[in-house]
């Protein structure tokens, strides 16, 4: 009812004309008024209609002027905003810088739990190179090197392998590394980390590298030993670089090869190798290694490589190195 009343008030002149027309029409049909009255009423109704049309036209023109004014004001405001919009959406604008910042964050993917093993497995499947830098290379000789070689054999492709580990002849760095590993799990089960164990693990990695090299014409391998230890492990393949720590529960980082920081880490590993001591693995050709190398073969091998075994290492210790190298087990299985 309120809406109807509002509508009537807004269109009162037209409503009056309508009522007047209806009234005169009814009276005219009943001969209740004279013809002069009817004619006058018609003129009055026409006047009301003309007034309504003029009012509507005035409203329309006013509305058009208001619309044109709004358009002009909007155009002027947009003109003022163009420089500001350029600052936002231009090549050097805020949006572009924000996108670059987001892209830089997405360069690095964080891996948790089983994702780490899956990423390493996938990286080994199709690579023709592998650069490792870490502690003693236990996982590398047990899993990475054998699997990369197996995939290379299946593809009938070459494989370049680079290993950088701590120097087993440097007792000081071995002591630092053993102390670090004990600090991660001081009361954990299994074999404790000591200087001798650290040395054996590093020697075993060097022995494994030479042993695989003698058995595969597809493999070229570079071994370096360093007097500096790192708490991180770097595994760089042709598809990505994966950065892990000794604790398998710690999240890992993955950077794909098309990202900027892949090249940065590639350069980092290259310079790190150049600052380490190269092991002349080609000298291993002087010593033929059996499928199960003998103690004497191993001793002669390390002498030829310039990595003489400690005098304290007896035959049992050397046999232990052979076992760790040839029958290496995944330390995280």
């Amino acid at each position: 009812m309120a809406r109807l009343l509002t509508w009537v008030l807004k269109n009162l002149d037209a409503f009056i004309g309508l009522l007047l027309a209806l009234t005169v029409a009814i009276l005219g049909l009943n001969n209740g008024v004279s013809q002069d009255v009817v004619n006058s009423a018609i003129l009055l109704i026409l006047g009301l209609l003309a007034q309504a049309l003029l009012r509507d036209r005035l409203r329309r023109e006013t509305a058009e002027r208001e619309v044109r004014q709004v358009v002009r004001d909007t155009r002027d405001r947009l003109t003022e905003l163009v420089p500001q919009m350029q600052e936002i959406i231009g090549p050097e604008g805020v949006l572009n810088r924000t996108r670059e910042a987001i892209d830089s964050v997405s360069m690095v993917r964080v891996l948790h739990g089983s994702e780490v093993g899956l990423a390493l497995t996938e990286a080994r499947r199709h690579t023709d190179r592998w650069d490792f830098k870490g502690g003693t290379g236990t996982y590398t000789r047990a899993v990475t090197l054998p699997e990369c070689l197996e995939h290379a054999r299946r593809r009938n492709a070459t494989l370049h392998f680079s290993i950088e580990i701590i120097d087993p002849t440097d007792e000081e760095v071995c002591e630092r590394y053993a102390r670090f590993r004990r600090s991660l799990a001081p009361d954990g089960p299994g074999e404790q980390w000591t200087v001798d164990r650290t040395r054996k693990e590093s020697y075993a990695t060097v022995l494994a590298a030479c042993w695989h090299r003698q058995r595969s014409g597809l493999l070229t391998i570079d071994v370096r030993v360093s007097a500096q230890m790192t708490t991180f492990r770097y595994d760089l393949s042709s598809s990505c670089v994966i950065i892990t720590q000794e604790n398998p529960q710690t999240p890992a980082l993955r950077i794909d090869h098309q990202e900027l920081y892949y090249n940065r880490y590639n350069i980092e590993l290259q310079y790190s190798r150049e600052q380490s001591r190269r092991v002349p693995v080609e000298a291993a050709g002087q010593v033929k290694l059996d499928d199960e190398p003998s103690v004497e073969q191993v001793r002669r091998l390390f002498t030829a490589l310039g990595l003489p075994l400690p005098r304290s290492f007896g035959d049992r210790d050397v046999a232990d190195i052979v076992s760790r190298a040839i029958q290496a087990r995944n330390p995280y299985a």
Side-chain angles (χ1 to χ4, degrees):
M1 189 64 183
R3 291 181 180 178
L4 178 61
L5 181 60
T6 301
W7 180 83
V8 170
L9 292 175
K10 287 183 178 180
N11 302 277
L12 185 60
D13 47 1
F15 187 70
I16 291 174
L18 177 63
L19 289 178
L20 184 58
L22 291 174
T23 302
V24 172
I26 293 171
L27 293 175
L29 291 174
N30 295 327
N31 296 320
V33 293
S34 64
Q35 187 62 40
D36 292 337
V37 173
V38 173
N39 292 337
S40 298
I42 291 174
L43 291 175
L44 179 59
I45 293 170
L46 291 175
L48 289 173
L49 290 175
Q51 185 270 338
L53 289 174
L54 290 173
R55 184 200 61 189
D56 289 341
R57 182 172 298 174
L58 179 61
R59 287 179 178 176
R60 189 181 305 111
E61 291 176 353
T62 302
E64 289 176 355
R65 284 196 301 272
E66 291 177 352
V67 169
R68 284 194 294 270
Q69 185 62 44
V70 169
V71 170
R72 284 194 297 270
D73 293 344
T74 302
R75 181 191 58 198
D76 294 341
R77 182 56 181 160
L78 288 175
T79 302
E80 294 174 1
L81 286 176
V82 166
Q84 302 176 26
M85 293 297 291
Q86 284 297 110
E87 294 180 1
I88 296 175
I89 64 176
E92 301 297 329
V94 174
L95 286 180
N96 194 48
R97 293 198 299 271
T98 302
R99 181 169 57 251
E100 290 176 353
I102 293 173
D103 290 342
S104 67
V105 172
S106 64
M107 287 181 185
V108 180
R109 179 184 172 193
V110 180
L111 306 177
H112 300 272
S114 61
E115 291 179 330
V116 180
L118 292 174
L120 288 169
T121 299
E122 181 62 27
R124 291 190 293 264
R125 187 165 291 127
H126 303 292
T127 191
D128 60 357
R129 64 171 294 192
W130 198 281
D131 297 341
F132 170 80
K133 176 184 176 179
T136 60
T138 306
Y139 182 85
T140 298
R141 73 170 181 270
V143 179
T144 307
L145 180 54
E147 287 196 8
C148 285
L149 272 173
E150 181 59 30
H151 290 305
R153 290 191 192 100
R154 292 176 181 175
R155 300 194 310 271
N156 194 28
T158 58
L159 173 67
H160 178 74
F161 214 93
S162 175
I163 300 174
E164 182 185 338
I165 56 176
I166 59 176
D167 189 342
T169 65
D170 189 324
E171 187 172 353
E172 183 179 347
V173 69
C174 291
E175 171 59 36
R176 287 201 306 269
Y177 185 78
R179 187 165 56 248
F180 165 69
R181 291 301 301 267
R182 288 196 301 269
S183 70
L184 297 179
D187 301 319
E191 184 181 3
Q192 293 297 309
W193 280 92
T194 62
V195 174
D196 281 351
R197 181 189 175 185
T198 303
R199 283 179 156 180
K200 289 178 181 179
E201 297 288 359
S202 286
Y203 276 121
T205 299
V206 176
L207 174 58
C210 295
W211 188 84
H212 283 291
R213 182 177 181 272
Q214 288 191 4
R215 280 158 177 76
S216 176
L218 301 174
L219 175 65
T220 58
I221 193 161
D222 179 59
V223 179
R224 308 284 175 130
V225 291
S226 174
Q228 303 294 324
M229 61 159 282
T230 175
T231 60
F232 289 94
R233 294 180 305 190
Y234 302 87
D235 287 278
L236 187 145
S237 68
S238 57
S239 62
C240 65
V241 57
I242 299 174
I243 305 170
T244 56
Q245 291 187 322
E246 299 294 349
N247 187 346
Q249 304 304 319
T250 304
L253 302 178
R254 170 178 173 163
I255 304 171
D256 290 333
H257 75 282
Q258 70 269 19
E259 304 295 351
L260 172 66
Y261 277 97
Y262 174 89
N263 293 326
R264 293 290 186 266
Y265 279 109
N266 191 14
I267 295 172
E268 167 69 20
L269 294 179
Q270 175 185 334
Y271 273 82
S272 181
R273 287 193 299 272
E274 291 176 356
Q275 297 175 72
S276 302
R277 180 158 67 103
R278 180 178 176 271
V279 178
V281 291
E282 64 277 1
Q286 303 173 15
V287 182
K288 178 68 171 67
L289 297 174
D290 296 337
D291 290 342
E292 185 78 21
S294 67
V295 171
E296 180 59 29
Q297 288 174 346
V298 173
R299 288 189 183 277
R300 286 192 289 114
L301 171 69
F302 285 120
T303 300
L305 296 176
L307 296 173
L309 293 168
R311 293 181 180 274
S312 59
F313 277 21
D315 290 350
R316 181 175 297 180
D317 295 308
V318 178
D320 188 21
I321 293 174
V322 173
S323 177
R324 294 173 189 269
I326 309 305
Q327 302 171 10
R329 291 176 298 176
N330 184 347
Y332 304 113

